[in-house]
Amino acid sequence: MGTKEKKISPDGAGKKTILGNPAKNLPAAEEYERLAREHTELSGKYATAVRYIRDKIDQLLTVMGTSALKPEELDDKTLIETDPIGIISSSFVQILKHLHKTNAALKMKNREIKAIFDSAGTGVLVIDRDMKILEYNTRLREQFFPDKVDINGLPCHALICNLKDPLSACPFRKVFETGESVHMKGWVLHNRHYDIVGTPLKDNVGEVTGAVILYMDITDHVRTEAALRQSEEKYRDLFENANDLIQSIGPDGSILYVNQAWLETLEYSREEVPDISIFDIIHPDCDECGADFKSVVFGERAGRVETVFITKTGKRILVEGNISTVFDSGRLIGTRGIFRDITERKKAEEVLASEREQLAVTLRCIGDGVITTDTAGNIVLMNKVSEALTGWSQGEARGRPISEVFRLVSEDSGAARENPVDVTLKTGRIMNIPDRTVLVSRTGVSRIIADSVAPIIDRTSNIIGTVLVFRDITEKRYIEEKLLQSGKIESLGILAGGIAHDFNNLLNAIMGNIDLALAELDGRDQLYETLTRAEKAALRAKDLTQQLLTFSKGGAPIKKTASITELIRESSDFAVRGSNAQCIFNLPEDLWKVEIDMGQMSQVINNIVLNAVSAMPDGGQIVISAVNMLLEQDRPELKQGRYVKIAIQDTGTGIPKEHLGRIFEPYFTTKHTGSGLGLATTYSIIQRHDGLIEVESEVGKGTTFFLYLPAAPGDRAPEEQSSEPRAPVKGWGRVLLMDDNEMVSYAAGEMLKRIGYDVVIAAEGNEALTAYKTANESGRRFDAVILDLTIPAGMGGKETMKKLLDYDPEVKAIVSSGYSSDAMMANYREYGFSGVLTKPYQMKDLREVLHQIISGEK
Amino acid sequence: MKVIEFDIRGQICPSTLLTALKEINEYSDQLVDGTVRLAFRTDNRDAVGTIPESATNMGYSVTVTRGDGYYLIEIDGLEP
């Protein structure tokens, strides 16, 4: 040993014991002897001790794994000095320390492993070669025998696999046979699925003494996989059977996958899909579609798109859908799109939009005002008429409460009316706008309105708003009032007709008697003058009743062929009488005769001249002229032929243009006192004479009326109006006079006698018939019969005439009536009469008509 | 780290082992705190078995390398 030598001394305690004996009392020989004995004894003990030490050292060295000390290697003395036991024991201390430390670590590891073993989610089983359970973890117990307390030593196949012949059937026997791991997948144990791994446990010499078997419960995984498979099948089913077009497109536009609907709609087979790209199905006309797709691919946009696809055969397919981008680990791998073919829907939408447009246009064009509101009564829509009537535009009114825009007040009191929209919204019923309701517009204009509000009801019978339909009836109301007025006038006309009839009878008596009185007088007699004035007044009264009749009935004119010259003069003069106006006549002598109702035509001239007079309050000249005219086709409204054109021109205020078109309308007047009937009657009379009336006017300069009257056929020369001699020219013959009015029959009878006729008077038809028959049978036949048309309490002229004709077709009869407007008076010949006498008539009228029919002039 | 080398060539077992154990015991504290490494140069083949095993049992880290006509057994620190 290369270390410094150390002397190993014997045990100090033993030495002390030996040397400590009291030897000083012993003799030297004895002492030597004793010392020799003691030395021998001690040497023997020493040798024994060294031997013991050497044994123990060898024992320790053997434990340390080395060979024993040889005596020649280390003498006793060196051995003692070297102290191998001390060395080895110090080493043992270190070894033990290390072992303690290692043991502690191992225990910790063991605990850790146990914890892992028990907490593992996988069942772990340790078995020996006889398949007996050596160890198992908590999980395994839970998996296979939760209720068992201790199963160590029991065979695993009895508890887990329940195999009859485990030694041949158990696959994990191979672990023992081959010494290699065995992996079994998808085993079903106790209704659960397992992946099982068996691993051999080997001893130090590599013998397989047991096996560790891991039971990994994959039931959830299996079930999840099954559910996933099921789900995938479900989605595949949905995908393939969806009516929508589903596609997945790669970033380069290649088509990754599409569904059946996509293939069918775009007319491709599944085999063709790999050879086409998205750009083959985007319609080339759709400029923005390709760019749109790119923007989706670059992630610039996604979501709803509407685009146009083109099929394999070139058909346009309008689609709408959603595109989304698909990323994998942040990298774009394509887009997914679901589209719906909306070609048909678009068409339907277009039709709908067109219908809607048409509806909107129709609504805008409806002649009535239409407003719709929502359920809160706020305006949604207004048409043009309602805009005009309310003064609000649709834009301004939309969203405002109806009561703000559609303000209603009572026509009578002016008080605000409850808005019918509000009522309809409350009750759900159709509401009529109450009578006499006035709509006050935004600008304060009032209009009388009518009509109703109805609820707008959807398919589920819910009220979703109201529709208000109304019309401006202001004009209608005005017309109704005028019609009412017209009705009153008509009644008045009938009354006037009756009065005129009675007046004519009375006038007939008055004028007949005056006539008779005048016939008795000398023309120089003062009374003659007086009676002549009375006669003139009576004639004026006759004209008045004539006007009254014409006004009341406007009846068919009783036309006679006559010169109009005198009529114009007389009527004009009569009209200007008492005014500052003066008539200037320009009437040629060769003016053609016309077929006119003298009374009605007189009224025409009278009305026009009266208008001229009132147009010249400060007086002036009225120029009345007439010319003969031959009309070809220059006046389409008139038949071709000969006409007399009369012009009546004043220099008055003139008629404003806006009034010019309306002056012939009934009740149109600008005069405070006018009835509005004058020119309307004039127009009506001229029309019934197949003529035409026109007007030209200039404000401030004057007005000219033009009358076109058809000329009478035949003689073109004007007929000289013969002035009838007042003195009667005696007639002869017998006349039967039928009139229910005694005053008339008396005066007429007297006049007839005065002009030389024998007269028999009858009060009504039967009496007249009897008298006629009697006279006829007695040989004293009547030469003429005068029949009053209207006999209130008996047979009138018409029926009497019929019976007279039945009796004697040769009878000569004259019809007489105060109703000059009666059609029979105008067309007397159609009823078998030979002449007509319009009441009131004078002696000259009687003489003339009787002379004509008895002497056969007519 | 200080390396203390002992040349025990010529010694045989168990002397080699006892010598090594004595030095390991002597420097155990420095070995544990890592300030010393002991290197034994031996030509005894048995020592290559006994010394490393004993040192390892004591918890030390041992490497044995073969030199020209000797083995170098290096002992240091405690095993991790």
Side-chain angles (χ1 to χ4, degrees):
Chain A
M1 286 174 100
T3 53
K4 55 180 181 179
E5 286 186 7
K6 286 181 181 175
K7 297 284 184 187
I8 297 170
S9 58
D11 180 84
K15 210 187 285 178
K16 275 179 187 170
T17 304
I18 297 166
L19 296 177
N21 285 335
K24 55 187 178 183
N25 298 326
L26 296 175
E30 282 178 6
E31 185 67 11
Y32 179 78
E33 218 174 285
R34 190 194 55 85
L35 284 172
R37 273 193 321 268
E38 203 170 77
H39 172 76
T40 305
E41 188 184 340
L42 283 173
S43 292
K45 283 182 181 176
Y46 179 74
T48 305
V50 168
R51 265 198 313 275
Y52 175 77
I53 287 168
R54 280 191 184 274
D55 284 350
K56 288 300 162 191
I57 288 169
D58 286 346
Q59 196 178 351
L60 287 172
L61 286 172
T62 307
V63 170
M64 292 295 282
T66 187
S67 54
L69 268 177
K70 294 178 182 83
E72 66 270 18
E73 197 175 353
L74 208 63
D75 60 42
D76 290 347
K77 188 183 173 208
T78 309
L79 178 77
I80 297 300
E81 284 173 357
T82 305
D83 187 17
I85 290 175
I87 292 169
I88 293 169
S89 66
S90 288
S91 292
F92 273 6
V93 169
Q94 287 193 64
I95 289 169
L96 279 172
K97 269 188 191 173
H98 180 63
L99 277 175
H100 282 306
K101 199 174 157 190
T102 306
N103 275 345
L106 281 172
K107 279 179 188 167
M108 178 56 78
K109 288 288 172 196
N110 193 37
R111 282 197 295 276
E112 281 175 12
I113 288 166
K114 179 70 178 163
I116 293 166
F117 185 69
D118 279 337
S119 63
T122 304
V124 184
L125 179 69
V126 184
I127 54 171
D128 63 14
R129 292 190 68 90
D130 300 326
M131 313 289 278
K132 285 182 181 161
I133 296 170
L134 298 175
E135 200 69 66
Y136 58 91
N137 71 347
T138 312
R139 178 73 185 129
L140 188 97
R141 186 163 60 78
E142 286 168 359
Q143 282 172 338
F144 300 111
F145 28 84
D147 303 328
K148 296 266 190 322
V149 179
D150 188 11
I151 54 164
N152 281 337
L154 296 174
C156 67
H157 51 81
L159 287 163
I160 298 173
C161 309
N162 210 12
L163 294 172
K164 284 181 184 169
D165 185 9
L167 293 181
S168 62
C170 177
F172 295 101
R173 291 300 305 165
K174 279 187 182 170
V175 174
F176 297 103
E177 289 159 11
T178 63
E180 286 175 2
S181 292
V182 172
H183 194 171
M184 303 298 296
K185 285 189 172 180
W187 265 44
V188 178
L189 295 168
H190 300 218
N191 292 325
R192 292 188 73 83
H193 300 260
Y194 293 93
D195 276 357
I196 308 171
V197 181
T199 308
L201 272 178
K202 294 179 183 174
D203 63 10
N204 291 340
V205 294
E207 278 292 309
V208 180
T209 58
V212 177
I213 304 178
L214 267 59
Y215 292 87
M216 284 170 282
D217 188 340
I218 56 162
T219 311
D220 289 345
H221 176 71
V222 168
R223 287 179 186 166
T224 305
E225 257 191 350
L228 202 66
R229 204 164 41 246
Q230 212 173 356
S231 169
E232 197 183 313
E233 276 168 19
K234 197 161 68 185
Y235 282 108
R236 179 161 295 282
D237 184 50
L238 277 175
F239 174 76
E240 284 304 342
N241 293 310
N243 289 326
D244 288 348
L245 285 61
I246 304 173
Q247 65 180 36
S248 179
I249 308 296
D252 59 349
S254 61
I255 295 171
L256 305 177
Y257 63 80
V258 294
N259 71 341
Q260 193 58 31
W262 191 99
L263 295 169
E264 283 170 12
T265 306
L266 295 172
E267 301 173 328
Y268 286 100
S269 68
R270 203 166 278 286
E271 292 70 36
E272 289 170 315
V273 170
D275 301 327
I276 58 172
S277 82
I278 187 71
F279 301 105
D280 290 310
I281 64 156
I282 291 174
H283 200 286
D285 292 349
C286 183
D287 295 335
E288 68 277 15
C289 296
D292 277 358
F293 172 76
K294 279 179 185 157
S295 67
V296 171
V297 166
F298 293 126
E300 288 166 5
R301 62 183 287 263
R304 193 185 169 283
V305 289
E306 198 172 301
T307 186
V308 186
F309 285 167
I310 184 168
T311 71
K312 189 179 163 186
T313 59
K315 267 194 279 180
R316 268 172 75 89
I317 305 285
L318 211 58
V319 294
E320 72 162 15
N322 267 287
I323 299 180
S324 55
T325 43
V326 185
F327 291 92
D328 182 17
S329 309
R331 192 174 61 89
L332 181 86
I333 55 165
T335 66
R336 237 187 333 249
I338 302 178
F339 298 94
R340 180 160 293 184
D341 180 356
I342 55 163
T343 314
E344 288 305 314
R345 197 187 82 196
K346 272 281 166 189
K347 276 183 197 166
E349 275 176 3
E350 276 168 20
V351 171
L352 200 67
S354 157
E355 277 175 9
R356 212 173 267 164
E357 175 68 17
Q358 201 174 0
L359 194 67
V361 169
T362 307
L363 195 65
R364 298 290 291 168
C365 298
I366 284 177
D368 288 355
V370 179
I371 298 177
T372 64
T373 74
D374 58 19
T375 49
N378 295 325
I379 290 170
V380 174
L381 184 147
M382 289 176 78
N383 73 345
K384 269 196 170 171
V385 175
S386 62
E387 284 180 338
L389 291 179
T390 60
W392 289 80
S393 74
Q394 181 171 270
E396 292 168 325
R398 187 178 286 136
R400 286 178 188 272
I402 185 76
S403 50
E404 190 182 334
V405 175
F406 195 69
R407 283 201 298 132
L408 299 180
V409 296
S410 161
E411 185 184 353
D412 304 314
S413 66
R417 280 252 158 98
E418 184 178 21
N419 204 298
V421 169
D422 297 335
V423 182
T424 294
L425 283 172
K426 271 184 219 159
T427 62
R429 291 205 305 269
I430 295 172
M431 289 296 301
N432 286 318
I433 294 172
D435 283 345
R436 308 189 71 78
T437 296
V438 169
L439 169 67
V440 183
S441 80
R442 196 180 188 183
T443 53
V445 177
S446 295
R447 288 189 177 87
I448 306 164
I449 59 157
D451 253 313
S452 61
V453 184
I456 304 173
I457 293 169
D458 68 8
R459 287 179 189 171
T460 52
S461 303
N462 291 319
I463 296 176
I464 55 168
T466 66
V467 57
L468 168 66
V469 181
F470 60 101
R471 63 176 60 188
D472 179 3
I473 58 160
T474 314
E475 197 68 22
K476 188 181 161 207
R477 174 68 65 80
Y478 174 76
I479 290 166
E480 275 173 1
E481 279 175 1
K482 284 293 178 190
L483 279 173
L484 194 67
Q485 191 184 352
S486 168
K488 282 179 192 164
I489 287 167
E490 197 176 334
S491 305
L492 197 65
I494 293 165
L495 184 69
I499 291 170
H501 172 256
D502 291 347
F503 259 58
N504 280 341
N505 276 335
L506 292 169
L507 282 172
N508 216 42
I510 293 165
M511 284 166 67
N513 284 309
I514 291 171
D515 232 4
L516 286 169
L518 284 170
E520 294 292 330
L521 289 173
D522 186 324
R524 287 163 297 180
D525 199 314
Q526 201 175 353
L527 205 58
Y528 190 93
E529 184 66 23
T530 309
L531 283 171
T532 305
R533 283 201 297 276
E535 187 189 28
K536 279 192 176 172
L539 284 168
R540 290 277 300 280
K542 178 190 167 185
D543 288 343
L544 197 65
T545 52
Q546 192 57 44
Q547 282 216 34
L548 207 57
L549 274 171
T550 311
F551 156 73
S552 68
K553 283 286 193 182
I558 302 164
K559 292 177 192 169
K560 288 179 189 170
T561 302
S563 162
I564 201 168
T565 313
E566 201 52 38
L567 185 143
I568 290 169
R569 282 181 196 280
E570 281 183 10
S571 300
S572 306
D573 284 340
F574 182 69
V576 298
R577 204 161 297 161
S579 74
N580 294 329
Q582 186 195 358
C583 290
I584 308 290
F585 296 102
N586 184 11
L587 304 168
E589 286 189 357
D590 61 345
L591 206 61
W592 291 327
K593 282 185 181 176
V594 284
E595 281 204 324
I596 53 169
D597 180 311
M598 300 291 277
Q600 289 188 3
M601 201 50 65
S602 168
Q603 201 180 338
V604 166
I605 304 296
N606 198 37
N607 281 337
I608 296 173
V609 175
L610 273 175
N611 269 340
V613 169
S614 38
M616 300 188 295
D618 299 328
Q621 286 188 343
I622 301 167
V623 179
I624 304 171
S625 53
V627 288
N628 292 327
M629 280 194 89
L630 195 61
L631 292 180
E632 300 290 339
Q633 288 173 335
D634 35 359
R635 301 308 301 252
E637 61 271 47
L638 288 173
K639 287 178 190 168
Q640 291 181 29
R642 299 186 302 132
Y643 286 84
V644 170
K645 180 185 179 185
I646 302 155
I648 302 168
Q649 183 182 21
D650 67 49
T651 53
T653 51
I655 305 165
K657 268 189 181 174
E658 62 269 24
H659 292 164
L660 214 55
R662 298 187 65 195
I663 58 168
F664 296 117
E665 286 178 16
Y667 312 112
F668 179 80
T669 181
T670 55
K671 299 174 195 168
H672 294 296
T673 54
S675 68
L677 284 169
L679 284 176
T681 310
T682 300
Y683 182 83
S684 163
I685 291 170
I686 294 295
Q687 276 212 317
R688 280 193 223 112
H689 279 82
D690 302 320
L692 178 73
I693 183 165
E694 286 180 335
V695 62
E696 282 177 5
S697 186
E698 199 173 334
V699 173
K701 288 198 172 175
T703 303
T704 307
F705 281 91
F706 299 97
L707 302 175
Y708 293 81
L709 292 169
D715 184 13
R716 296 183 178 197
E719 192 180 78
E720 196 60 41
Q721 188 77 28
S722 60
S723 58
E724 295 293 326
R726 174 73 65 184
V729 174
K730 288 282 183 184
W732 57 271
R734 284 166 58 76
V735 174
L736 173 62
L737 174 69
M738 182 188 84
D739 202 305
D740 63 319
N741 190 310
E742 278 184 24
M743 284 193 294
V744 173
S745 55
Y746 175 78
E750 288 305 306
M751 283 193 287
L752 285 167
K753 285 177 194 166
R754 172 67 69 175
I755 56 177
Y757 295 96
D758 289 337
V759 185
V760 172
I761 292 171
E764 54 85 38
N766 285 321
E767 194 183 336
L769 270 172
T770 308
Y772 190 86
K773 286 177 185 172
T774 308
N776 212 29
E777 283 159 14
S778 64
R780 299 184 69 212
R781 189 177 180 275
F782 286 111
D783 297 295
V785 182
I786 299 171
L787 297 175
D788 187 20
L789 193 59
T790 316
I791 308 286
M795 192 195 290
K798 187 180 172 185
E799 201 179 340
T800 308
M801 185 61 199
K802 207 178 161 190
K803 293 193 169 169
L804 272 176
L805 282 169
D806 288 344
Y807 176 73
D808 177 11
E810 297 298 316
V811 66
K812 288 182 176 172
I814 297 157
V815 63
S816 163
S817 177
Y819 287 117
S820 65
S821 56
D822 195 294
M824 191 176 275
M825 296 292 281
N827 309 303
Y828 59 91
R829 287 187 190 279
E830 289 175 19
Y831 297 88
F833 290 103
S834 307
V836 64
L837 267 172
T838 307
K839 285 180 185 175
Y841 47 81
Q842 288 179 284
M843 207 142 41
K844 65 180 175 68
D845 301 320
L846 275 171
R847 185 177 61 228
E848 189 184 340
V849 71
L850 283 168
H851 178 70
Q852 281 173 358
I853 69 160
I854 293 171
S855 57
E857 283 185 12
K858 251 189 179 175
Chain B
M1 183 189 283
K2 184 181 176 186
V3 179
I4 304 171
E5 193 174 315
F6 302 94
D7 189 348
I8 54 171
R9 278 180 290 188
Q11 289 187 31
I12 56 162
C13 277
S15 176
T16 47
L17 178 64
L18 283 171
T19 304
L21 289 177
K22 186 174 175 284
E23 297 308 326
I24 290 168
N25 293 340
E26 184 80 24
Y27 292 101
S28 67
D29 290 345
Q30 289 95 321
L31 282 168
V32 169
D33 66 24
T35 53
V36 162
R37 176 187 290 166
L38 303 180
F40 298 94
R41 200 181 291 267
T42 178
D43 50 6
N44 184 338
R45 179 122 181 17
D46 291 342
V48 177
T50 56
I51 294 171
E53 189 178 351
S54 297
T56 304
N57 286 336
M58 290 157 89
Y60 297 113
S61 175
V62 181
T63 56
V64 179
T65 49
R66 188 175 181 160
D68 185 16
Y70 64 91
Y71 298 96
L72 187 65
I73 301 167
E74 289 174 297
I75 297 165
D76 62 345
L78 287 174
E79 279 183 308

